[in-house]
């Protein structure tokens, strides 16, 4: 394997790693938004409390880009 192919392979692996990290962060942010929405709906009395039994609604949820 030549030096150029090694550099290309390292760049491709780095790109795949970056995409994997971005997808993981997006999944995490989606889960936090779902938790925030569920807690708001339960707090407003629209949904029953059983909907939020696996969430910690006592602490406010901070989501990137959402106030």
């Amino acid at each position: 394997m030549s030096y150029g192919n090694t550099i290309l392979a390292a760049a491709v692996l780095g790109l795949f790693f970056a995409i994997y990290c971005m997808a993981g962060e997006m999944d995490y942010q989606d889960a936090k938004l779902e938790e925030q929405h569920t807690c708001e709906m339960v707090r407003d009395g629209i949904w029953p409390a059983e909907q939020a039994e696996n969430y910690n609604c006592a602490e406010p949820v901070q989501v990137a880009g959402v106030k």
Side-chain angles (χ1 to χ4, degrees):
M1 200 163 167
S2 71
Y3 181 71
N5 287 342
T6 304
I7 297 298
L8 180 61
V12 169
L13 285 175
L15 179 64
F16 283 136
F17 181 72
I19 291 171
Y20 182 75
C21 288
M22 288 188 320
E25 178 65 22
M26 289 169 49
D27 185 47
Y28 174 73
Q29 293 296 329
D30 286 344
K32 297 305 275 183
L33 278 172
E34 179 183 342
E35 179 179 350
Q36 182 182 34
H37 177 69
T38 301
C39 289
E40 287 175 1
M41 296 298 273
V42 169
R43 188 173 20 257
D44 293 342
I46 298 170
W47 290 355
E50 292 83 25
Q51 291 284 19
E53 64 185 13
N54 294 328
Y55 297 126
N56 183 7
C57 292
E59 296 179 16
V61 177
Q62 297 296 324
V63 180
V66 178
K67 291 184 180 183

